[in-house]
Amino acid sequence: MRIARFSIDGNVAFGVVEGEPSDQDGPVIDIIKGHPFAEFERSGQKVPLSKVRLLPPVLPNKVVGIGRNYAEHAAELGNEVPDVPVVFFKPSTSVVGPGDPVAYPSFSSEVHYEAELAVVIGRMCREVPRERVQDVILGYTCGNDITARDAQRREKQWARAKGFDNSCPLGPWVETDIDLARAGDLGIMCTVNGEQRQLGRTSEMVRPIEDLIVHITEAMTLLPGDVVLTGTPAGVGPLSVGDEVAVTIEGIGTLTNKVIKRG
Ligand code: ZN
């Protein structure tokens, strides 16, 4: 099931996306009563996907990022795969949705894309044992861990480099019909202006999703709607104003954003 968050006529709601772009009238959204973090009912009230504005599929309290979780990507930036996972935050104010602009921050002249599988947490959890990880996941979406690479090199902590406004596009929706085994072997691609820049598989992760959730929740409580970014495959590179960057993950969809000048 694909669960989207969207606005229509000034109202915000969640809904289940049905159908494919190839359908005669395109996909529709069946508006749900309530929110997707508990049992919910479909209202049967359907609106065409083309008539709504998709929003970030969740509003995370926090986005927890994992650095250097693909060996080839660590190597391309001259880094080793760390003994202990590198964990960082992107604040809630960094999150934007599909189609939202990503504005170049004033302090950087080298902003990079990073296509990532984003894990969406479904329930409050801490100290999650490995065998319970599946239970705390609502589903998966596409993430772009936009990074000011020059600031990341310059500054010891990555709070500005990875936490600036609009640096965390998420979407287009949460796919809930993917289990951990499948999430661990999905194709992941990034294109810029239609040209392929990154192409990998989540099976190349140094540490699988189970290990990441165990590691993070040893330290902190994850809340419904929180997001874990699982690292990016090799092929990262710069974005310029005017570029259109798209992250596609097999079985989920495509997240597209345009890079703009900060106004
Ligand atoms: Zn990343």
Side-chain angles (χ1 to χ4, degrees):
M1 183 165 46
R2 292 173 291 180
I3 301 175
R5 192 170 149 271
F6 63 98
S7 72
I8 184 165
D9 303 331
N11 298 308
V12 174
F14 288 96
V16 177
V17 181
E18 299 173 344
E20 300 301 326
S22 54
D23 292 357
Q24 196 180 6
D25 301 314
V28 295
I29 300 186
D30 190 347
I31 300 172
I32 67 177
K33 295 179 186 167
H35 61 74
F37 301 105
E39 294 276 310
F40 64 82
E41 277 178 52
R42 299 185 190 204
S43 70
Q45 189 190 339
K46 298 182 184 184
V47 288
L49 187 62
S50 59
K51 292 277 186 315
V52 307
R53 176 174 169 231
L54 288 180
L55 301 172
V58 284
L59 284 181
N61 171 270
K62 57 189 167 297
V63 176
V64 185
I66 302 294
R68 298 166 192 162
N69 199 30
Y70 286 74
E72 259 186 70
H73 164 64
E76 75 182 342
L77 295 181
N79 297 307
E80 302 274 324
V81 170
D83 295 334
V84 177
V86 177
V87 181
F88 60 89
F89 287 123
K90 291 173 88 80
S92 58
T93 42
S94 69
V95 172
V96 291
D100 285 341
V102 172
Y104 231 91
S106 60
F107 59 85
S108 174
S109 54
E110 192 187 353
V111 166
H112 280 201
Y113 53 83
E114 293 190 359
E116 310 206 0
L117 177 69
V119 182
V120 178
I121 299 300
R123 57 169 74 169
M124 182 162 97
C125 59
R126 63 187 283 263
E127 295 183 347
V128 180
R130 230 186 125 78
E131 63 275 13
R132 295 295 305 278
V133 167
Q134 179 73 69
D135 301 342
V136 307
I137 296 174
L138 175 67
Y140 300 88
T141 191
C142 305
N144 197 341
D145 174 20
I146 305 260
T147 301
R149 195 70 69 201
D150 45 359
Q152 187 187 23
R153 279 192 297 264
R154 236 171 14 229
E155 301 178 13
K156 202 151 192 176
Q157 297 238 345
W158 301 348
R160 292 194 338 144
K162 285 183 176 283
F164 61 88
D165 289 356
N166 299 30
S167 65
C168 189
L170 295 173
W173 40 62
V174 180
E175 175 55 74
T176 62
D177 294 335
I178 292 178
D179 63 11
L180 269 170
R182 188 157 168 244
D185 192 16
L186 296 173
I188 177 165
M189 180 173 71
C190 182
T191 64
V192 177
N193 304 325
E195 268 179 41
Q196 185 182 298
R197 299 291 176 86
Q198 290 181 286
L199 183 66
R201 294 199 74 77
T202 55
S203 53
E204 297 161 44
M205 284 185 202
V206 175
R207 292 184 181 82
I209 295 161
E210 292 92 320
D211 290 11
L212 302 178
I213 301 294
V214 169
H215 186 69
I216 293 164
T217 63
E218 269 178 7
M220 71 191 76
T221 298
L222 292 177
L223 299 174
D226 277 353
V227 167
V228 175
L229 293 177
T230 53
T232 197
V236 297
L239 291 167
S240 304
V241 170
D243 283 348
E244 191 175 81
V245 58
V247 175
T248 298
I249 302 180
E250 182 187 351
I252 299 176
T254 297
L255 166 69
T256 305
N257 298 88
K258 193 150 187 160
V259 182
I260 63 163
K261 201 162 175 277
R262 185 164 296 282

